[in-house]
Amino acid sequence: MTAERDNHEPSGTDVEITTVRTQAAFVNKLYKMLEDTTIQALISWSERGDLFSVANPTSFSKIVLPQYFKHNNWQSFVRQLNMYGFHKVNDMIHSNLTSDNQTWEFKHPHFKRGEIEDLQNIKRKSTKPAYSASPRNSSSRISVDTDDDIYGPMYKHILHIEDRLHHVTRSYEILKNETNTLKGLLSRQQDTIGEFAMLLGDVLEGDCKFIIVF
């Protein structure tokens, strides 16, 4: 009887493993970020622990994102939050989005400090049509979100396009700065030529007067 009971009652370790496996990889990594005290200056819980904030998106993208994900794109991170039902709390409409010290706040009813068991209730919004699953294959449809699930071929393609756009934008800024520099140099050269022409005219005029007087 004891052996039979042991076969049917999972241990605490088994329950913990099952709970972890039903959580999305993205949600797990996000929670780990907030538990990392070394990056609290960039991402941290609120005082009540019911929402989190990112104080500097630019630094956060360069320093934190590559440690947990396969990219360093802020907008991609925000889209992932939206896909998992997170909502932006603070109003960004009348603020400067390009400011490095801009603070972004996000909230989810099942994402709270210390309530790890609720993380399994956070699901990614499905973009696939729902199919009726038979009892035979219903268990096989329960899967864990891995990095390959989160960053599928289409999503990776979007990231690739965003990276190319970012490089094009940087190239444009560099070209624009070089053009402005050349314009300034050309303007100074024209001023120098004008001054030289005036000086030459004065010299020629003085020579003519000297010849006439002589």
Side-chain angles (χ1 to χ4, degrees):
M1 181 65 68
T2 302
E4 182 178 354
R5 183 177 59 185
D6 293 341
N7 291 334
H8 288 82
E9 294 182 2
S11 62
T13 303
D14 293 335
V15 173
E16 183 179 355
I17 293 175
T18 303
T19 302
V20 173
R21 286 180 178 176
T22 56
Q23 296 171 6
F26 175 80
V27 178
N28 279 333
K29 292 179 180 180
L30 178 61
Y31 193 88
K32 288 180 181 179
M33 286 184 193
L34 290 160
E35 293 300 299
D36 188 349
T37 57
T38 62
I39 57 175
Q40 285 184 350
L42 297 175
I43 181 171
S44 60
W45 291 105
S46 64
E47 293 184 2
R48 297 178 57 184
D50 59 342
L51 60 87
F52 71 92
S53 61
V54 178
N56 190 320
T58 302
S59 298
F60 174 81
S61 301
K62 293 179 180 179
I63 300 173
V64 180
L65 284 182
Q67 298 180 24
Y68 291 88
F69 303 104
K70 298 178 180 179
H71 68 89
N72 60 351
N73 190 297
W74 168 252
Q75 294 300 330
S76 299
F77 175 72
V78 173
R79 277 198 299 271
Q80 283 298 114
L81 289 172
N82 293 332
M83 289 178 63
Y84 280 93
F86 286 83
H87 299 284
K88 181 158 50 65
V89 178
N90 53 336
D91 183 13
M92 310 292 292
I93 297 178
H94 303 292
S95 59
N96 181 12
L97 299 182
T98 62
S99 177
D100 287 342
N101 61 0
Q102 184 60 253
T103 299
W104 293 60
E105 296 177 343
F106 298 93
K107 186 175 184 179
H108 191 287
H110 297 294
F111 192 80
K112 298 179 181 180
R113 182 175 54 202
E115 300 183 8
I116 300 178
E117 293 183 358
D118 285 349
L119 299 181
Q120 58 187 317
N121 297 323
I122 303 177
K123 306 296 182 182
R124 186 172 50 151
K125 297 177 182 178
S126 177
T127 57
K128 299 179 181 180
Y131 297 98
S132 59
S134 61
R136 184 179 61 183
N137 60 8
S138 59
S139 60
S140 62
R141 294 176 63 84
I142 301 176
S143 59
V144 181
D145 284 339
T146 62
D147 285 337
D148 291 335
D149 296 327
I150 296 175
Y151 306 103
M154 182 60 68
Y155 191 75
K156 289 181 179 179
H157 182 63
I158 294 175
L159 290 179
H160 177 67
I161 293 177
E162 287 184 344
D163 289 338
R164 292 188 63 182
L165 288 175
H166 178 69
H167 289 308
V168 170
T169 302
R170 289 187 59 186
S171 299
Y172 169 76
E173 292 296 334
I174 294 174
L175 181 60
K176 182 180 178 181
N177 292 334
E178 291 179 350
T179 301
N180 291 334
T181 302
L182 290 176
K183 285 183 179 180
L185 180 61
L186 179 60
S187 177
R188 289 193 295 271
Q189 288 178 344
Q190 290 176 343
D191 294 339
T192 302
I193 293 174
E195 293 175 357
F196 179 76
M198 291 178 61
L199 179 61
L200 182 61
D202 293 340
V203 172
L204 293 176
E205 183 178 358
D207 290 343
C208 290
K209 290 181 180 180
F210 176 77
I211 294 174
I212 293 175
V213 172
F214 180 77

